[in-house]
Amino acid sequence: MNFIFNKDKHKHNKDDREQRYTQRATAKIIDKFAIQGNIKGAIESGRRRIKFLIAMVLCGFTILIWRAVDLMVLSHRVAPASSFSWGFKAPKKIGSILDRNDVVVAVNLPEQSLYVNSIEFLSQNESPEEAADKILSILPNLNKSKLMKKLTNHKSFTFIKKLITPMEAKKVLEYGIVGLHFKPDSKRIYPQNNLLSHVIGIRGVDGGGLQGVEKSFNDLMVNQGKDLQLSIDVRVQHILRSEIEKTVEKFNAKGGAGVIMDVKTGEVLGMSSYPDYDPNHYQNATSDQLFNRATKGLYEVGSVFKAFTMASALNSHTVQLDDIFDTSTPLKVGRFKIHDYEYFKYPLRVPEIFAHSSNIGTSKIALQMGTEIQKKYLKELGLLDKVDINLPEITKPMYPQGRRWTPLSTMTISFGHGIAVSPLHVAQALSSLVNGGYGIKATLLKQTKPQLDKRIFNQHTADTMRHLLRTVVTSGTGRKSEVRGYRIGAKTGTADVAAKGGYNRNARRTTLSSVFPMDNPKYAIVVMIDKPLGIKETHGYATAGWVVAPLVRNIISRLGPMMNIIPKYDVELKPQKTSKYYIRPFNWNKKMGQVTPRHNIHKKWYE
Amino acid sequence: MSTLKKYVLIMAIYLILIVAVFSVSQYSGELTIKTKKLQHDIQQEKDTISVLNAEWAYLNTPEHIEGLATHYLKLHPTSARQVVSIKDLMAKIKVLEVKAKKKALYLAKLRKKRHVKSHKYTHKKTRKSTHIKSTHIKSKHTKTKHKKVVTKHNHTRAKH
């Protein structure tokens, strides 16, 4: 170890000696070439400058490094997601609309809007006219002069056309015009076209709902981005719409409307108003097409109201089924006369008044019942208020206000004249008649449980009404709506169209309100055809029994199997002669004692 | 340890930490970008799915399907007569079974009767009657032909 230490010491001494020698030699050289005076000062100042420069560079680098660290570590930010899509924010999600079986009826699809950066466009040497011609070859609906202005307005953002199709966007890209860009956007598409136009409504270019559920549920779909599930079934809707369309065309009518409703949940399964429009191209629709007859149209529905009058009278114990009323002559009230379609020579029982649709008989019942009771029941049935449904297109019914509701009004309202309601009002009130007498609210949202309100009619009245509605189909004015096996109940209504100073006797509005199956009512169907014209096939008649009853028969014969309603064939077709609901035919007094029911089946339809 | 060395060590640790933090931050940044890209791709896929759903809904509109069905399949809407409950169907099957049994019994009876009759008949006229035979007869063109020989006995049975 000593040896090593000594060796190191020796080495150290040697280094010192070498250093001293070098220092001495340097001093000798300096002395030899001594720089003195001004030259020395200049070199010194040079040295200082170099030192200052190095300090500055170091300072600069330190700042740069600090900034880099600051950018990358301390204030690190990640590029936003929108930077992946042309530098724009992705369009806001708008909820879709689905039917009760999750079929898409309205959905937002990604599309693009074309815009121009004029500054960028003008920096290139392309002529605006040539560029405009190229754009017009793809989008021919644009105005050339306006387009030229947009291309040369020195602005960085001007829309050329909002929402162009992917094919159009592809063609624009192929031209490679500098300054033309696309903004990601979305467009509302209605795959079912005309089918649900009045229910869904429309959404404007700016994305706001303008009509239908698009308007009433705008907040849910736009702000919350949630999907909306309707109570509508597109299959049911198709049946309803297609049958109304056929009938309107067959009878050369002005229009038609229909509602199909679940009587226990209040769900609207189908709602149609004809003529309708395609919501994808609503700009081309006329005001008549945009008008929702099913909810906004107010019509005097005629004899359909007799069902409500009967139920009110029976529930208030004003009349019993066996009460008889004379309907053999027109009823005179002041200067007015109430007429019947046919005058029966024998007094009619209450079920016969209902089945033969006697205005005189119903007026007498209403008079016996009184205005207050009538008003009370109509109010409870929701026939004097707006329908509380999730649609903006609703109207308050029209009826005489305050003192104007005279005894004559009571009589005319009892058979559906002097009061104007929408088909949806009728469907809602009819559901209350047959669902056990409970009030119900129509809804366009899918329900899972029955939504019954407070009771309006007792069980006995509700059962009686089911029988009375059935007699209209078996022996009354609605015979043409019968589908064997489906136990349909209905009430027809033919009303003259109100004209200036009275009624137009040549124009009619035919309505049929029906329910099936009557032993356990499930669906209420109300269809109205506006101003049908008689044809050869109907012997010139254009009443509800000829126009709307076959329409409802077609609807039920298609709807029944679809909704898994099992037909019953081994039940009686008509109430037996001994039944309290037996309806005597028109010429009963001539063939007295000869009327025998053809089908002698003892099993009742309601068992 | 001298102060200089201490400073150097602290500086070294600082440097290592800076490098580590920087690399972690870079890595997380990359991952975030990757996530955003994936989210963007997912959104694009969702958009594609919504386009396909819309197209599917358009092709499945009841009007379109009805048109195709009537044109190519000659189908019509189901009528009420085609709808039967399982309960009714079972009852109907039972009725049919009973009917089939009755028919079978009746046929068996009838066959027995006929058999007895024909037996009596054949017993009397055994010598004269012959059974149906198919014989090969060679034609002029040397082709074989099947010819049914209807016997007298067959005629008589037919009359019965």
mmCIF file of all heavy atoms in Angstrom, chain A residues 72-73 76 78 81 84 104 107 109-110 191-193 234 238 486 557-558 561 565-567 569, chain B residues 21-22 25 29 32 36-37 47 50-51 54 57-58 61-63 66 77-81 83 85:
data_model
loop_
_atom_site.group_PDB
_atom_site.id
_atom_site.type_symbol
_atom_site.label_atom_id
_atom_site.label_comp_id
_atom_site.label_asym_id
_atom_site.label_seq_id
_atom_site.Cartn_x
_atom_site.Cartn_y
_atom_site.Cartn_z
ATOM 1 N N MET A 72 -45.520 21.585 -22.439
ATOM 2 C CA MET A 72 -45.677 20.129 -22.532
ATOM 3 C C MET A 72 -46.073 19.479 -21.221
ATOM 4 O O MET A 72 -46.713 18.454 -21.203
ATOM 5 C CB MET A 72 -44.395 19.502 -23.078
ATOM 6 C CG MET A 72 -44.202 19.796 -24.557
ATOM 7 S SD MET A 72 -42.816 18.938 -25.253
ATOM 8 C CE MET A 72 -41.453 19.890 -24.692
ATOM 9 N N VAL A 73 -45.601 20.083 -20.104
ATOM 10 C CA VAL A 73 -45.854 19.432 -18.814
ATOM 11 C C VAL A 73 -46.853 20.196 -17.955
ATOM 12 O O VAL A 73 -47.880 19.667 -17.549
ATOM 13 C CB VAL A 73 -44.539 19.224 -18.036
ATOM 14 C CG1 VAL A 73 -44.806 18.521 -16.711
ATOM 15 C CG2 VAL A 73 -43.525 18.483 -18.866
ATOM 16 N N HIS A 76 -50.369 21.337 -19.986
ATOM 17 C CA HIS A 76 -50.550 20.421 -21.115
ATOM 18 C C HIS A 76 -52.033 20.310 -21.484
ATOM 19 O O HIS A 76 -52.874 20.060 -20.649
ATOM 20 C CB HIS A 76 -50.008 19.053 -20.726
ATOM 21 C CG HIS A 76 -50.184 18.035 -21.807
ATOM 22 N ND1 HIS A 76 -49.485 18.092 -22.973
ATOM 23 C CD2 HIS A 76 -50.979 16.970 -21.878
ATOM 24 C CE1 HIS A 76 -49.844 17.076 -23.725
ATOM 25 N NE2 HIS A 76 -50.760 16.389 -23.080
ATOM 26 N N VAL A 78 -54.901 18.668 -24.387
ATOM 27 C CA VAL A 78 -55.061 17.680 -25.465
ATOM 28 C C VAL A 78 -55.951 18.282 -26.545
ATOM 29 O O VAL A 78 -56.890 19.026 -26.234
ATOM 30 C CB VAL A 78 -55.701 16.385 -24.916
ATOM 31 C CG1 VAL A 78 -55.888 15.367 -26.015
ATOM 32 C CG2 VAL A 78 -54.839 15.828 -23.814
ATOM 33 N N ALA A 81 -61.782 16.847 -29.534
ATOM 34 C CA ALA A 81 -62.264 15.800 -30.438
ATOM 35 C C ALA A 81 -62.698 16.369 -31.777
ATOM 36 O O ALA A 81 -62.570 15.732 -32.806
ATOM 37 C CB ALA A 81 -63.434 15.087 -29.797
ATOM 38 N N PHE A 84 -60.884 16.436 -35.186
ATOM 39 C CA PHE A 84 -60.883 15.335 -36.154
ATOM 40 C C PHE A 84 -61.945 15.509 -37.230
ATOM 41 O O PHE A 84 -62.000 14.760 -38.164
ATOM 42 C CB PHE A 84 -61.109 14.010 -35.434
ATOM 43 C CG PHE A 84 -59.985 13.685 -34.488
ATOM 44 C CD1 PHE A 84 -60.184 13.728 -33.124
ATOM 45 C CD2 PHE A 84 -58.722 13.383 -34.972
ATOM 46 C CE1 PHE A 84 -59.164 13.448 -32.260
ATOM 47 C CE2 PHE A 84 -57.690 13.107 -34.111
ATOM 48 C CZ PHE A 84 -57.901 13.131 -32.747
ATOM 49 N N VAL A 104 -88.234 2.808 -36.357
ATOM 50 C CA VAL A 104 -87.804 4.209 -36.462
ATOM 51 C C VAL A 104 -88.809 4.998 -37.309
ATOM 52 O O VAL A 104 -89.127 4.598 -38.425
ATOM 53 C CB VAL A 104 -86.397 4.291 -37.107
ATOM 54 C CG1 VAL A 104 -85.956 5.734 -37.249
ATOM 55 C CG2 VAL A 104 -85.399 3.509 -36.283
ATOM 56 N N VAL A 107 -85.458 10.163 -37.485
ATOM 57 C CA VAL A 107 -84.070 10.006 -37.018
ATOM 58 C C VAL A 107 -83.188 11.090 -37.649
ATOM 59 O O VAL A 107 -83.478 11.561 -38.749
ATOM 60 C CB VAL A 107 -83.566 8.575 -37.357
ATOM 61 C CG1 VAL A 107 -83.470 8.353 -38.853
ATOM 62 C CG2 VAL A 107 -82.233 8.278 -36.696
ATOM 63 N N LEU A 109 -79.769 12.065 -39.347
ATOM 64 C CA LEU A 109 -78.643 11.422 -40.030
ATOM 65 C C LEU A 109 -77.565 12.465 -40.324
ATOM 66 O O LEU A 109 -77.876 13.626 -40.584
ATOM 67 C CB LEU A 109 -79.123 10.786 -41.336
ATOM 68 C CG LEU A 109 -80.120 9.645 -41.201
ATOM 69 C CD1 LEU A 109 -80.414 9.061 -42.559
ATOM 70 C CD2 LEU A 109 -79.600 8.546 -40.290
ATOM 71 N N PRO A 110 -76.272 12.030 -40.262
ATOM 72 C CA PRO A 110 -75.206 13.001 -40.523
ATOM 73 C C PRO A 110 -75.215 13.461 -41.980
ATOM 74 O O PRO A 110 -75.291 12.646 -42.891
ATOM 75 C CB PRO A 110 -73.931 12.217 -40.189
ATOM 76 C CG PRO A 110 -74.319 10.788 -40.274
ATOM 77 C CD PRO A 110 -75.762 10.700 -39.956
ATOM 78 N N PRO A 191 -88.411 8.082 -42.299
ATOM 79 C CA PRO A 191 -88.442 6.945 -43.229
ATOM 80 C C PRO A 191 -89.848 6.482 -43.603
ATOM 81 O O PRO A 191 -90.026 5.853 -44.630
ATOM 82 C CB PRO A 191 -87.707 5.826 -42.466
ATOM 83 C CG PRO A 191 -87.103 6.450 -41.270
ATOM 84 C CD PRO A 191 -87.823 7.710 -41.008
ATOM 85 N N GLN A 192 -90.848 6.796 -42.766
ATOM 86 C CA GLN A 192 -92.201 6.311 -43.056
ATOM 87 C C GLN A 192 -92.961 7.257 -43.994
ATOM 88 O O GLN A 192 -94.164 7.058 -44.217
ATOM 89 C CB GLN A 192 -92.991 6.141 -41.758
ATOM 90 C CG GLN A 192 -92.317 5.309 -40.698
ATOM 91 C CD GLN A 192 -92.288 3.838 -41.006
ATOM 92 O OE1 GLN A 192 -93.117 3.339 -41.765
ATOM 93 N NE2 GLN A 192 -91.342 3.120 -40.445
ATOM 94 N N ASN A 193 -92.304 8.272 -44.485
ATOM 95 C CA ASN A 193 -92.909 9.266 -45.396
ATOM 96 C C ASN A 193 -94.228 9.826 -44.854
ATOM 97 O O ASN A 193 -94.266 10.323 -43.754
ATOM 98 C CB ASN A 193 -93.074 8.670 -46.793
ATOM 99 C CG ASN A 193 -91.732 8.293 -47.389
ATOM 100 O OD1 ASN A 193 -90.702 8.826 -46.988
ATOM 101 N ND2 ASN A 193 -91.723 7.372 -48.322
ATOM 102 N N VAL A 234 -97.040 1.412 -36.244
ATOM 103 C CA VAL A 234 -97.037 1.781 -37.676
ATOM 104 C C VAL A 234 -97.929 0.867 -38.515
ATOM 105 O O VAL A 234 -98.508 1.300 -39.510
ATOM 106 C CB VAL A 234 -95.611 1.829 -38.290
ATOM 107 C CG1 VAL A 234 -94.853 3.023 -37.808
ATOM 108 C CG2 VAL A 234 -94.834 0.570 -38.059
ATOM 109 N N HIS A 238 -100.896 2.226 -40.695
ATOM 110 C CA HIS A 238 -100.964 1.974 -42.138
ATOM 111 C C HIS A 238 -102.364 1.511 -42.530
ATOM 112 O O HIS A 238 -102.907 1.972 -43.548
ATOM 113 C CB HIS A 238 -99.927 0.914 -42.518
ATOM 114 C CG HIS A 238 -100.100 0.401 -43.905
ATOM 115 N ND1 HIS A 238 -99.915 1.197 -45.011
ATOM 116 C CD2 HIS A 238 -100.484 -0.809 -44.367
ATOM 117 C CE1 HIS A 238 -100.163 0.491 -46.093
ATOM 118 N NE2 HIS A 238 -100.520 -0.717 -45.735
ATOM 119 N N TYR A 486 -116.212 -10.869 -34.588
ATOM 120 C CA TYR A 486 -115.479 -9.853 -33.818
ATOM 121 C C TYR A 486 -116.343 -9.001 -32.896
ATOM 122 O O TYR A 486 -115.843 -8.037 -32.327
ATOM 123 C CB TYR A 486 -114.625 -8.975 -34.725
ATOM 124 C CG TYR A 486 -113.296 -9.600 -35.000
ATOM 125 C CD1 TYR A 486 -112.761 -9.647 -36.269
ATOM 126 C CD2 TYR A 486 -112.576 -10.196 -33.968
ATOM 127 C CE1 TYR A 486 -111.545 -10.259 -36.520
ATOM 128 C CE2 TYR A 486 -111.364 -10.807 -34.208
ATOM 129 C CZ TYR A 486 -110.855 -10.834 -35.478
ATOM 130 O OH TYR A 486 -109.650 -11.436 -35.708
ATOM 131 N N SER A 557 -111.443 -5.966 -39.827
ATOM 132 C CA SER A 557 -111.113 -7.298 -40.361
ATOM 133 C C SER A 557 -109.604 -7.456 -40.568
ATOM 134 O O SER A 557 -109.081 -8.569 -40.549
ATOM 135 C CB SER A 557 -111.873 -7.579 -41.656
ATOM 136 O OG SER A 557 -111.545 -6.594 -42.591
ATOM 137 N N ARG A 558 -108.886 -6.342 -40.762
ATOM 138 C CA ARG A 558 -107.418 -6.424 -40.886
ATOM 139 C C ARG A 558 -106.731 -6.311 -39.528
ATOM 140 O O ARG A 558 -105.677 -6.902 -39.301
ATOM 141 C CB ARG A 558 -106.905 -5.304 -41.802
ATOM 142 C CG ARG A 558 -107.259 -5.532 -43.263
ATOM 143 C CD ARG A 558 -106.957 -4.320 -44.102
ATOM 144 N NE ARG A 558 -105.516 -4.134 -44.313
ATOM 145 C CZ ARG A 558 -105.000 -3.128 -44.997
ATOM 146 N NH1 ARG A 558 -105.785 -2.219 -45.544
ATOM 147 N NH2 ARG A 558 -103.688 -3.033 -45.150
ATOM 148 N N PRO A 561 -107.076 -9.866 -36.624
ATOM 149 C CA PRO A 561 -106.060 -10.935 -36.639
ATOM 150 C C PRO A 561 -104.678 -10.426 -36.231
ATOM 151 O O PRO A 561 -103.923 -11.130 -35.574
ATOM 152 C CB PRO A 561 -106.051 -11.402 -38.099
ATOM 153 C CG PRO A 561 -107.347 -10.962 -38.647
ATOM 154 C CD PRO A 561 -107.714 -9.716 -37.924
ATOM 155 N N ILE A 565 -106.860 -11.020 -31.749
ATOM 156 C CA ILE A 565 -108.201 -11.100 -31.162
ATOM 157 C C ILE A 565 -108.899 -12.299 -31.815
ATOM 158 O O ILE A 565 -109.041 -12.367 -33.041
ATOM 159 C CB ILE A 565 -108.970 -9.787 -31.375
ATOM 160 C CG1 ILE A 565 -108.274 -8.700 -30.551
ATOM 161 C CG2 ILE A 565 -110.424 -9.925 -30.943
ATOM 162 C CD1 ILE A 565 -108.729 -7.324 -30.799
ATOM 163 N N ILE A 566 -109.249 -13.251 -30.962
ATOM 164 C CA ILE A 566 -109.807 -14.509 -31.476
ATOM 165 C C ILE A 566 -111.288 -14.313 -31.791
ATOM 166 O O ILE A 566 -112.059 -13.899 -30.921
ATOM 167 C CB ILE A 566 -109.641 -15.648 -30.443
ATOM 168 C CG1 ILE A 566 -108.194 -15.732 -29.957
ATOM 169 C CG2 ILE A 566 -110.125 -16.979 -30.995
ATOM 170 C CD1 ILE A 566 -107.172 -16.111 -30.998
ATOM 171 N N PRO A 567 -111.690 -14.586 -33.025
ATOM 172 C CA PRO A 567 -113.110 -14.434 -33.345
ATOM 173 C C PRO A 567 -113.967 -15.529 -32.694
ATOM 174 O O PRO A 567 -113.482 -16.644 -32.481
ATOM 175 C CB PRO A 567 -113.135 -14.540 -34.869
ATOM 176 C CG PRO A 567 -111.858 -15.120 -35.270
ATOM 177 C CD PRO A 567 -110.890 -15.008 -34.159
ATOM 178 N N TYR A 569 -117.497 -17.570 -33.233
ATOM 179 C CA TYR A 569 -118.558 -17.777 -34.227
ATOM 180 C C TYR A 569 -119.813 -18.404 -33.615
ATOM 181 O O TYR A 569 -120.885 -18.326 -34.181
ATOM 182 C CB TYR A 569 -118.043 -18.662 -35.369
ATOM 183 C CG TYR A 569 -116.943 -17.977 -36.137
ATOM 184 C CD1 TYR A 569 -115.634 -18.431 -36.065
ATOM 185 C CD2 TYR A 569 -117.215 -16.868 -36.928
ATOM 186 C CE1 TYR A 569 -114.614 -17.778 -36.742
ATOM 187 C CE2 TYR A 569 -116.207 -16.213 -37.616
ATOM 188 C CZ TYR A 569 -114.905 -16.681 -37.523
ATOM 189 O OH TYR A 569 -113.917 -16.038 -38.200
ATOM 190 N N VAL B 21 -41.761 12.730 -15.748
ATOM 191 C CA VAL B 21 -43.071 13.410 -15.839
ATOM 192 C C VAL B 21 -43.383 13.732 -17.289
ATOM 193 O O VAL B 21 -44.501 13.529 -17.776
ATOM 194 C CB VAL B 21 -43.074 14.684 -14.961
ATOM 195 C CG1 VAL B 21 -44.308 15.543 -15.257
ATOM 196 C CG2 VAL B 21 -43.041 14.323 -13.501
ATOM 197 N N PHE B 22 -42.350 14.221 -17.989
ATOM 198 C CA PHE B 22 -42.546 14.587 -19.386
ATOM 199 C C PHE B 22 -42.987 13.372 -20.221
ATOM 200 O O PHE B 22 -43.945 13.447 -21.001
ATOM 201 C CB PHE B 22 -41.245 15.174 -19.936
ATOM 202 C CG PHE B 22 -41.320 15.527 -21.385
ATOM 203 C CD1 PHE B 22 -42.077 16.623 -21.797
ATOM 204 C CD2 PHE B 22 -40.642 14.778 -22.336
ATOM 205 C CE1 PHE B 22 -42.160 16.942 -23.134
ATOM 206 C CE2 PHE B 22 -40.730 15.102 -23.665
ATOM 207 C CZ PHE B 22 -41.483 16.186 -24.072
ATOM 208 N N SER B 25 -46.454 12.334 -19.285
ATOM 209 C CA SER B 25 -47.436 13.268 -19.853
ATOM 210 C C SER B 25 -47.580 13.051 -21.357
ATOM 211 O O SER B 25 -48.697 13.063 -21.895
ATOM 212 C CB SER B 25 -46.988 14.687 -19.537
ATOM 213 O OG SER B 25 -47.038 15.502 -20.650
ATOM 214 N N GLY B 29 -50.918 11.900 -23.139
ATOM 215 C CA GLY B 29 -51.423 12.705 -24.257
ATOM 216 C C GLY B 29 -51.715 11.849 -25.467
ATOM 217 O O GLY B 29 -52.772 11.956 -26.094
ATOM 218 N N THR B 32 -54.751 9.847 -24.829
ATOM 219 C CA THR B 32 -55.961 10.669 -24.933
ATOM 220 C C THR B 32 -56.339 10.860 -26.395
ATOM 221 O O THR B 32 -57.506 10.751 -26.768
ATOM 222 C CB THR B 32 -55.742 12.042 -24.261
ATOM 223 O OG1 THR B 32 -55.040 11.836 -23.060
ATOM 224 C CG2 THR B 32 -57.050 12.744 -23.987
ATOM 225 N N LYS B 36 -59.687 9.722 -28.148
ATOM 226 C CA LYS B 36 -60.551 10.634 -28.909
ATOM 227 C C LYS B 36 -60.785 10.082 -30.306
ATOM 228 O O LYS B 36 -61.895 10.157 -30.833
ATOM 229 C CB LYS B 36 -59.912 12.024 -28.993
ATOM 230 C CG LYS B 36 -59.765 12.715 -27.668
ATOM 231 C CD LYS B 36 -61.052 13.384 -27.245
ATOM 232 C CE LYS B 36 -60.932 13.900 -25.818
ATOM 233 N NZ LYS B 36 -62.179 14.407 -25.303
ATOM 234 N N LYS B 37 -59.710 9.523 -30.879
ATOM 235 C CA LYS B 37 -59.842 8.948 -32.222
ATOM 236 C C LYS B 37 -60.832 7.800 -32.205
ATOM 237 O O LYS B 37 -61.672 7.670 -33.096
ATOM 238 C CB LYS B 37 -58.466 8.455 -32.718
ATOM 239 C CG LYS B 37 -57.740 9.474 -33.559
ATOM 240 C CD LYS B 37 -56.464 8.888 -34.114
ATOM 241 C CE LYS B 37 -55.699 9.931 -34.898
ATOM 242 N NZ LYS B 37 -54.358 9.491 -35.239
ATOM 243 N N ASP B 47 -73.180 6.611 -36.409
ATOM 244 C CA ASP B 47 -73.854 7.324 -37.508
ATOM 245 C C ASP B 47 -74.209 6.353 -38.621
ATOM 246 O O ASP B 47 -75.312 6.398 -39.167
ATOM 247 C CB ASP B 47 -72.938 8.436 -38.052
ATOM 248 C CG ASP B 47 -72.844 9.613 -37.092
ATOM 249 O OD1 ASP B 47 -73.671 9.665 -36.161
ATOM 250 O OD2 ASP B 47 -71.939 10.447 -37.267
ATOM 251 N N SER B 50 -77.110 4.328 -37.592
ATOM 252 C CA SER B 50 -78.380 5.071 -37.665
ATOM 253 C C SER B 50 -78.831 5.213 -39.115
ATOM 254 O O SER B 50 -80.028 5.132 -39.409
ATOM 255 C CB SER B 50 -78.262 6.429 -36.986
ATOM 256 O OG SER B 50 -77.336 7.220 -37.658
ATOM 257 N N VAL B 51 -77.864 5.384 -40.029
ATOM 258 C CA VAL B 51 -78.217 5.464 -41.460
ATOM 259 C C VAL B 51 -78.827 4.131 -41.909
ATOM 260 O O VAL B 51 -79.869 4.093 -42.569
ATOM 261 C CB VAL B 51 -76.974 5.804 -42.323
ATOM 262 C CG1 VAL B 51 -77.284 5.658 -43.804
ATOM 263 C CG2 VAL B 51 -76.488 7.211 -42.037
ATOM 264 N N ALA B 54 -82.265 3.671 -40.501
ATOM 265 C CA ALA B 54 -83.240 4.482 -41.236
ATOM 266 C C ALA B 54 -83.593 3.807 -42.559
ATOM 267 O O ALA B 54 -84.754 3.749 -42.955
ATOM 268 C CB ALA B 54 -82.685 5.875 -41.481
ATOM 269 N N ALA B 57 -85.776 0.870 -41.862
ATOM 270 C CA ALA B 57 -87.147 1.316 -41.568
ATOM 271 C C ALA B 57 -87.850 1.718 -42.861
ATOM 272 O O ALA B 57 -89.028 1.418 -43.054
ATOM 273 C CB ALA B 57 -87.120 2.485 -40.596
ATOM 274 N N TYR B 58 -87.093 2.371 -43.750
ATOM 275 C CA TYR B 58 -87.689 2.807 -45.025
ATOM 276 C C TYR B 58 -88.098 1.600 -45.875
ATOM 277 O O TYR B 58 -89.176 1.575 -46.461
ATOM 278 C CB TYR B 58 -86.684 3.685 -45.777
ATOM 279 C CG TYR B 58 -87.138 4.092 -47.146
ATOM 280 C CD1 TYR B 58 -88.157 5.022 -47.294
ATOM 281 C CD2 TYR B 58 -86.583 3.527 -48.286
ATOM 282 C CE1 TYR B 58 -88.603 5.392 -48.546
ATOM 283 C CE2 TYR B 58 -87.026 3.884 -49.543
ATOM 284 C CZ TYR B 58 -88.035 4.816 -49.666
ATOM 285 O OH TYR B 58 -88.485 5.174 -50.911
ATOM 286 N N THR B 61 -91.299 -0.217 -44.522
ATOM 287 C CA THR B 61 -92.571 0.501 -44.339
ATOM 288 C C THR B 61 -93.709 -0.429 -44.770
ATOM 289 O O THR B 61 -93.585 -1.146 -45.767
ATOM 290 C CB THR B 61 -92.625 1.788 -45.190
ATOM 291 O OG1 THR B 61 -92.193 1.462 -46.498
ATOM 292 C CG2 THR B 61 -91.760 2.876 -44.620
ATOM 293 N N PRO B 62 -94.811 -0.443 -44.002
ATOM 294 C CA PRO B 62 -95.903 -1.372 -44.306
ATOM 295 C C PRO B 62 -96.369 -1.283 -45.756
ATOM 296 O O PRO B 62 -96.686 -2.301 -46.369
ATOM 297 C CB PRO B 62 -97.009 -0.933 -43.353
ATOM 298 C CG PRO B 62 -96.317 -0.251 -42.236
ATOM 299 C CD PRO B 62 -95.106 0.369 -42.812
ATOM 300 N N GLU B 63 -96.374 -0.067 -46.292
ATOM 301 C CA GLU B 63 -96.841 0.115 -47.669
ATOM 302 C C GLU B 63 -95.931 -0.625 -48.653
ATOM 303 O O GLU B 63 -96.398 -1.314 -49.561
ATOM 304 C CB GLU B 63 -96.852 1.611 -47.974
ATOM 305 C CG GLU B 63 -97.810 1.975 -49.072
ATOM 306 C CD GLU B 63 -97.915 3.472 -49.255
ATOM 307 O OE1 GLU B 63 -97.321 4.229 -48.466
ATOM 308 O OE2 GLU B 63 -98.599 3.875 -50.207
ATOM 309 N N GLU B 66 -96.293 -4.403 -48.186
ATOM 310 C CA GLU B 66 -97.593 -4.840 -48.724
ATOM 311 C C GLU B 66 -97.536 -4.935 -50.251
ATOM 312 O O GLU B 66 -97.992 -5.913 -50.839
ATOM 313 C CB GLU B 66 -98.659 -3.836 -48.292
ATOM 314 C CG GLU B 66 -100.074 -4.350 -48.446
ATOM 315 C CD GLU B 66 -101.087 -3.303 -48.020
ATOM 316 O OE1 GLU B 66 -101.228 -2.283 -48.724
ATOM 317 O OE2 GLU B 66 -101.702 -3.503 -46.973
ATOM 318 N N PRO B 77 -104.051 -9.766 -46.684
ATOM 319 C CA PRO B 77 -104.133 -9.669 -45.219
ATOM 320 C C PRO B 77 -104.883 -10.874 -44.629
ATOM 321 O O PRO B 77 -105.836 -11.380 -45.235
ATOM 322 C CB PRO B 77 -104.922 -8.380 -44.995
ATOM 323 C CG PRO B 77 -104.728 -7.585 -46.219
ATOM 324 C CD PRO B 77 -104.592 -8.567 -47.332
ATOM 325 N N THR B 78 -104.461 -11.280 -43.442
ATOM 326 C CA THR B 78 -105.087 -12.429 -42.781
ATOM 327 C C THR B 78 -106.543 -12.097 -42.484
ATOM 328 O O THR B 78 -106.845 -11.026 -41.972
ATOM 329 C CB THR B 78 -104.371 -12.710 -41.433
ATOM 330 O OG1 THR B 78 -102.993 -12.518 -41.625
ATOM 331 C CG2 THR B 78 -104.658 -14.089 -40.928
ATOM 332 N N SER B 79 -107.426 -13.027 -42.798
ATOM 333 C CA SER B 79 -108.835 -12.780 -42.490
ATOM 334 C C SER B 79 -109.156 -13.382 -41.126
ATOM 335 O O SER B 79 -108.409 -14.210 -40.600
ATOM 336 C CB SER B 79 -109.724 -13.394 -43.568
ATOM 337 O OG SER B 79 -109.832 -14.766 -43.357
ATOM 338 N N ALA B 80 -110.289 -12.954 -40.577
ATOM 339 C CA ALA B 80 -110.689 -13.422 -39.241
ATOM 340 C C ALA B 80 -110.854 -14.944 -39.220
ATOM 341 O O ALA B 80 -110.594 -15.590 -38.204
ATOM 342 C CB ALA B 80 -111.982 -12.748 -38.841
ATOM 343 N N ARG B 81 -111.245 -15.521 -40.337
ATOM 344 C CA ARG B 81 -111.484 -16.975 -40.401
ATOM 345 C C ARG B 81 -110.197 -17.784 -40.204
ATOM 346 O O ARG B 81 -110.245 -18.952 -39.848
ATOM 347 C CB ARG B 81 -112.110 -17.353 -41.741
ATOM 348 C CG ARG B 81 -113.504 -16.818 -41.878
ATOM 349 C CD ARG B 81 -114.282 -17.536 -42.948
ATOM 350 N NE ARG B 81 -115.686 -17.201 -42.813
ATOM 351 C CZ ARG B 81 -116.520 -17.848 -42.039
ATOM 352 N NH1 ARG B 81 -116.103 -18.863 -41.321
ATOM 353 N NH2 ARG B 81 -117.786 -17.493 -41.966
ATOM 354 N N VAL B 83 -107.924 -17.140 -38.044
ATOM 355 C CA VAL B 83 -107.443 -17.035 -36.662
ATOM 356 C C VAL B 83 -108.236 -17.973 -35.771
ATOM 357 O O VAL B 83 -109.459 -17.897 -35.697
ATOM 358 C CB VAL B 83 -107.580 -15.583 -36.146
ATOM 359 C CG1 VAL B 83 -107.020 -15.457 -34.741
ATOM 360 C CG2 VAL B 83 -106.885 -14.624 -37.074
ATOM 361 N N SER B 85 -107.979 -20.016 -31.824
ATOM 362 C CA SER B 85 -107.214 -20.160 -30.580
ATOM 363 C C SER B 85 -106.785 -21.617 -30.417
ATOM 364 O O SER B 85 -107.395 -22.521 -30.995
ATOM 365 C CB SER B 85 -108.063 -19.738 -29.393
ATOM 366 O OG SER B 85 -109.080 -20.678 -29.187
#
